[in-house]
Amino acid sequence: MLSPRESATRERVSLDGLWRFALDPEGRGRSERWWTDELPGDVEVPVPASFNAVLPGRESHDHIGDVWYQRVVRVPRGWDGERIVLRLDAATHRAVVWVSDTQVAEHEGGYTPFEADISEQVRAGEPVRVTVVVNTELHWDSIPPGFVQELEDGRLLQQYFQDFFNYAGLNRSVWLYVTPRTHVDDVTVATTGIDGDTGTIDYRVAVAGDGGHPVRVVVRDAGGAEVARADGAEGTVRIEGVQPWRPGAGYLYTLEVAVLGADGEVVDVYPQPFGVRTVAVDGTRFLINGEPFYFTGFGKHEDFPVHGRGFDPAAMVHDFHLLRWIGANSFRTSHYPYDEAFLDYADRHGVVVMDETAAVGLNLDTGAGVLNQAGPMETYSDSTIDARTQETHRQAIRELIARDKNHPCVVLWSIANEPDTVSPAARPYFEPLVAETRRLDPTRPVAFANFLKATPDLDVISDLFDVLLLNRYYGWYVQTGDLVAAERLLEGELREWAERGKPIVMTEYGADTQPGLHSMLREPWSEEFQIDLLAMYHRVFDRIDAVVGEHIWNFADFATRAGISRVDGNKKGIFTRDRRPKSSAQALRQRWHGTEEPQPDTTRNVQQDPQQDLQGDVPQGVQQPARQA
Ligand code: BDP
């Protein structure tokens, strides 16, 4: 699905900002047709943001069910006679959308976009009321799954099996955009080869509207100069003197796709950025442009105080700079597709991405009693994860690939995080999903992140995948604090996996760490223990050739449900939730930048406390830094 971009024939208007908002704890809004009038109450919330992070108190934080958003928007005057589209970048977890009194869209799944052609419902130059009901519930047939439990006293409890808080609402931008009625509907661009300095690109264009219009594509380099062109909705173009997209150097071209009229005039034009790069798995090596690539980085979350999972460009750019500072070349979009702005940025800056679906928590064995307070259950059964879940999962894969297929930063699809892959039923569940992923995108490796109990002797699906992604907690959840035993067991297991002859990336390893807690005994929860545990894993990785990457869990501390193993959230971050480095950050920076000593920060201006200046109380032995004029 194309993201809304501006061009000579296209315009867009952001509907971000404050919307009217109403919680609907009794679930009355649908039967009372709240979309036909102004929403009750006077609450406003920002879009994008998680309402249950923005509004203080338990009532909204723990709300289960429907919430309503509404605003009035004026359709630009110049859009008369064009195709006008309302697009939501995401609504977590499902939504119905009305324009005035007419339902225009309905969507399941909280992390991928959807849109509606509303040309018939609006008039250029006139205001229109947009109402969205967003439902926060997780069910057995949703991705991620969960269930709503009715307690003995009649209260409801949202149960789920993932270790991050169920932030919901309109977490991403809402757009109104316009295209000609005959328009570019979809574009697929894939590198099929880089031979010397020639890049070969296969492209495919779908046109909607009146049939029979010719298509022309022009490839422009980063400076806008034309470097190739072709006619036809499908074909191959060659770029001579190609500048490949590389990790650390995200060179982008643009495929300018034009639908032409009878006299060769441009009816619609869509600029699709792309990079020229290849991805392949060769034995235990992961190759980007034919060269072995070693992943350094993290599993992350879209998570921040106050706006929850709501997209914030300031937080995003800040995180990308921290990734660069620490020497990370990659990250995984654990445990759901992120806002597409993350991928656009990673494309431009050469950051490598493992792109994951929201299929997390398909595992009822993740320490029952901690994550799953309802007690032990079978993962795959007619009353838990079943064919309906699988169908939602299949759709989630389709929508992920439809949105992200043209991003050069994406080098791998991770179709699930820590599913139960010990039950024999995992195989019939996953086999068709892997086949579907490969059918939709034959160019990228397919993987899933494997749960610690699914050791090589027990796992029943890993042979279906190209890369082994392993999440392991030796030294933390098992052999807690005993890094000697942990090192032996970790190495033993990794050597067994290595015999499979596939590349291994450790996609999770880490230790909860309370910032500021220090220990001479270097015990669990201390900053010293986090350093020691990571160093132990790194020693083991360096001894095993098949290990081609290390993604620490997690980049930053993040919000979870309350629980006996969570103190104000998950504390496995290398940065705190407000992005202050824990001690381990320096050690990582040394390892990933390949330096003996941490790089001193020599470029900064110094801002001093004016009080200190007055009293002249600079400690002895500390040189007073030169002042900037
Ligand atoms: C893994 C999950 C991740 C958790 C992590 C942990 O993939 O989402 O946050 O463990 O327990 O099981 O910290």
Side-chain angles (χ1 to χ4, degrees), residues 396-517:
I397 292 171
R398 286 186 189 132
E399 292 187 19
L400 175 74
I401 296 177
R403 192 194 71 166
D404 295 347
K405 61 187 173 183
N406 294 326
H407 286 285
C409 66
V410 174
V411 300
L412 173 150
W413 303 115
S414 167
I415 66 168
N417 181 70
E418 296 192 350
D420 171 351
T421 61
V422 170
S423 303
R427 202 163 174 97
Y429 180 92
F430 276 99
E431 218 163 3
L433 298 182
V434 177
E436 179 70 352
T437 312
R438 293 193 193 287
R439 184 184 72 78
L440 293 167
D441 181 10
T443 73
R444 288 179 178 86
V446 184
F448 77 99
N450 162 299
F451 179 51
L452 60 87
K453 289 193 180 175
T455 45
D457 50 323
L458 297 175
D459 170 275
V460 298
I461 66 166
S462 283
D463 60 300
L464 301 171
F465 295 84
D466 305 305
V467 180
L468 302 168
L469 308 183
L470 305 178
N471 297 354
R472 290 298 178 269
Y473 288 94
Y474 291 111
W476 187 254
Y477 289 124
V478 287
Q479 294 79 45
T480 312
D482 181 354
L483 295 180
V484 175
E487 182 161 357
R488 183 167 36 79
L489 290 162
L490 171 67
E491 180 156 3
E493 191 191 342
L494 282 179
R495 292 206 180 279
E496 270 185 64
W497 282 114
E499 284 168 21
R500 304 275 172 104
K502 294 181 181 184
I504 299 170
V505 180
M506 188 64 71
T507 34
E508 286 188 26
Y509 60 108
D512 283 274
T513 303
Q514 179 60 33
L517 179 70

Side-chain angles (χ1 to χ4, degrees), residues 126-182:
E126 294 193 2
V128 64
R129 187 179 62 243
V130 178
T131 310
V132 185
V133 60
V134 184
N135 181 272
T136 70
E137 292 165 28
L138 297 172
H139 300 290
W140 286 116
D141 58 355
S142 66
I143 289 292
F147 65 98
V148 179
Q149 190 180 9
E150 190 173 338
L151 303 175
E152 277 174 12
D153 59 12
R155 285 175 305 142
L156 299 178
L157 183 63
Q158 174 69 68
Q159 294 279 14
Y160 49 84
F161 321 103
Q162 71 208 28
D163 181 36
F164 52 97
F165 186 72
N166 186 30
Y167 283 127
L170 295 181
N171 284 324
R172 297 187 186 157
S173 292
V174 181
W175 304 94
L176 210 53
Y177 73 92
V178 70
T179 75
R181 295 215 181 240
T182 295

Side-chain angles (χ1 to χ4, degrees), residues 163-217:
D163 181 36
F164 52 97
F165 186 72
N166 186 30
Y167 283 127
L170 295 181
N171 284 324
R172 297 187 186 157
S173 292
V174 181
W175 304 94
L176 210 53
Y177 73 92
V178 70
T179 75
R181 295 215 181 240
T182 295
H183 59 274
V184 179
D185 190 44
D186 195 23
V187 180
T188 309
V189 199
T191 307
T192 48
I194 302 176
D195 187 9
D197 63 357
T198 305
T200 311
I201 308 299
D202 279 0
Y203 73 90
R204 207 167 56 240
V205 176
V207 177
D210 294 346
H213 282 270
V215 171
R216 185 190 66 210
V217 300

Side-chain angles (χ1 to χ4, degrees), residues 85 141 146 203 230 256 291 312 324 341 526 529 556 584 599:
V85 182
D141 58 355
Y203 73 90
E256 205 175 81
E291 289 165 18
D312 173 1
R324 180 186 285 183
S526 70
F529 184 76
S584 53
Q599 296 295 304

